[in-house]
Amino acid sequence: MSFGLPGFVSCTPGGIVRLLDEYDVDPAGRRAVVAGRSAILGKPAGMLLLARDATVTYCHSRTADLPAAVREAGIVVAAVGRPRLIKGQDLKPGAVVIDAGYHPGNVGDVDFGSAVERASLITPVPGGVGPMTIATLLEQTVGTAARQLGA
């Protein structure tokens, strides 16, 4: 799979983009909010969405009025590291919600119970983004080995 950028992609953001592709969610022209600013997840996820022509807003746990920012987004990537920080009422109806958080008790950064009522698509925790992270890591590893062997 090509991400349109040279080199390797961070595996979790790459898995998120792959999920969007598999569910025919085209980010082009859509407003996306990435709640999280880490160097290995939030920032690269936003950059991959930007490369797909989304309009990206980065937010974090200290963003003033985070719910207002999230309500504007057709795509929400939750990677802020706070359990159940994003609630269903914070979401724009029909939003695509990617929850990349994981906390004890199998809880994500999104309150799944309330969010599932408003989202058109939502990833579960566990079982959503995590397996896609592993798939992206394996794909990049196997692809690199094949290139080194001349295959």
Side-chain angles (χ1 to χ4, degrees), residues 1-146:
M1 172 177 202
S2 172
F3 291 95
L5 301 170
F8 298 107
V9 299
S10 293
C11 292
T12 301
I16 289 169
V17 170
R18 177 173 225 147
L19 266 173
L20 294 174
D21 288 347
E22 291 298 319
Y23 284 90
D24 294 321
V25 176
D26 184 3
R30 295 181 80 171
R31 190 174 294 240
V33 164
V34 177
R37 55 184 168 178
S38 72
I40 63 169
L41 180 49
K43 289 177 183 175
M47 296 305 291
L48 289 174
L49 290 168
L50 188 62
R52 297 284 183 98
D53 298 320
T55 299
V56 179
T57 300
Y58 286 97
C59 298
H60 46 81
S61 62
R62 293 192 174 120
T63 295
D65 203 359
L66 177 62
V70 170
R71 272 191 296 278
E72 297 295 317
I75 299 172
V76 177
V77 177
V80 74
R82 299 265 176 100
R84 296 186 179 117
L85 179 67
I86 297 173
K87 311 286 189 221
Q89 65 265 23
D90 300 340
L91 298 171
K92 178 180 184 176
V96 173
V97 180
I98 307 294
D99 190 347
Y102 181 81
H103 308 279
N106 294 330
V107 172
D109 288 355
V110 176
D111 180 46
F112 188 88
S114 63
V116 73
E117 300 297 323
R118 289 187 76 131
S120 61
L121 295 170
I122 185 169
T123 58
V125 174
V129 172
M132 297 308 297
T133 300
I134 302 303
T136 302
L137 174 63
L138 289 172
E139 180 181 50
Q140 291 183 143
T141 301
V142 169
T144 300

